[in-house]
Each structure stands twice: as structure tokens, then as C-alpha cells.
Amino acid sequence: MDDTHLTRDLIAYLFALRDQVQAELKVLLRELELTDTQAYALWQLSDEAEPMTARRLADRLNCDASTATSLIDRLERHGLVRRAPYPGDRRAKILQLTPRGCELRDRVVQYTAQRSPFARLDRDSQLRLHALLGEAAGARAAETAS
């Protein structure tokens, strides 16, 4: 297999995996009345070492600040997120999951983990794949995996 075909197959596998995860998650998201983007935002707000701001969330979601602000507003109206003062900068706000937001995030994570295509792999294979995907994705993967 030449490099072009190999790369094309790898990308095709990534799309197939994404489609499998989204298809499985769609059932739960309908029940929770969440969109894919809202679920991904909750996922990104999980256990951050650094405080999550709207700007950081926009960067993580690959969208502009106004789109992230609109998303945060909707999550806040649903009681899933709250804005708290950012220490040392009155203009900035820290985004925090509410207890309800944590509950929904945990359900999404658990549901996804149980139905993940990676669950078909044994632990050693998962660890190898984790290392390879992290290497291929660069620093971004290491940042978002934590």
C-alpha cells in the first residue's frame, strides 16, 4: 500500500469512528435534550487544570467567540453552566459546570465509553492507539485529553 492510500484509509477510519460515536450518542442526546455541540462543550468543561473561559472554549470547539458565547448562554439557561468571576480580571468569567451539568456530562461520558468502538480493543491495544493518536494529533491531543 502506498503512502497516499494509507493516509486516505486512515482518514476514512477516523470519519467512520466519528460517525459511529455520533450515531450511538444521538439516542442519549435526544433523551437529554442536548445537541452534539452542547454535549461536546460539557465534555470540554470537564476537570480542567486551568480555568475555562469563553475564549478557551471557543478555541477548543474551533468556533468564534460569539458562537461560544451563544452556546454558553443556552447552557446557562438550561442550568448546566454558570459564569463565575475570574480572579484578577473583572472582565473575564470562568465557566463552571453546575451539579446538573456534571450529571449530564458524566452520563454522556459513561454512555460513550460503554459504546465506544475502542471498547472492542483490549487494554494494551487501547494504550498503543492512545499513544499513536496523541502523537499524530500533537500537543492539541495532550491538551484536550487531560
Side-chain angles (χ1 to χ4, degrees):
M1 178 180 300
D2 65 26
D3 289 349
T4 301
H5 285 95
L6 177 61
T7 299
R8 188 181 67 211
D9 282 355
L10 289 170
I11 299 298
Y13 290 147
L14 287 175
F15 281 121
L17 288 168
R18 182 204 60 200
D19 291 347
Q20 287 177 33
V21 169
Q22 284 182 324
E24 284 290 339
L25 197 53
K26 191 170 288 206
V27 174
L28 178 66
L29 295 184
R30 199 171 308 131
E31 176 188 321
L32 299 178
E33 299 179 355
L34 290 174
T35 66
D36 289 343
T37 305
Q38 289 169 334
Y40 189 49
L42 293 178
W43 194 294
Q44 291 299 319
L45 288 167
S46 301
D47 305 321
E48 280 296 309
E50 293 179 49
M52 181 65 78
T53 62
R55 174 79 262 159
R56 279 189 69 216
L57 183 61
D59 290 344
R60 291 279 181 92
L61 299 177
N62 295 313
C63 66
D64 60 45
S66 64
T67 301
T69 298
S70 176
L71 173 64
I72 294 161
D73 289 343
R74 284 192 308 276
L75 291 171
E76 194 172 39
R77 278 194 304 275
H78 291 294
L80 304 176
V81 171
R82 69 175 156 256
R83 291 174 168 104
Y86 192 97
D89 186 349
R90 292 185 333 204
R91 297 168 298 160
K93 301 290 182 197
I94 297 172
L95 304 175
Q96 299 173 329
L97 290 174
T98 64
R100 176 76 175 138
C102 288
E103 176 190 330
L104 293 188
R105 184 259 343 259
D106 291 348
R107 284 187 62 190
V108 168
V109 170
Q110 181 181 16
Y111 188 92
T112 304
Q114 289 172 344
R115 290 160 179 79
S116 166
F118 303 119
R120 292 186 282 252
L121 303 175
D122 63 39
R123 176 127 172 97
D124 288 340
S125 296
Q126 288 178 4
L127 289 169
R128 284 194 314 274
L129 182 59
H130 181 271
L132 290 169
L133 291 174
E135 186 179 331
R140 173 75 192 222
E143 177 184 309
T144 59
S146 59

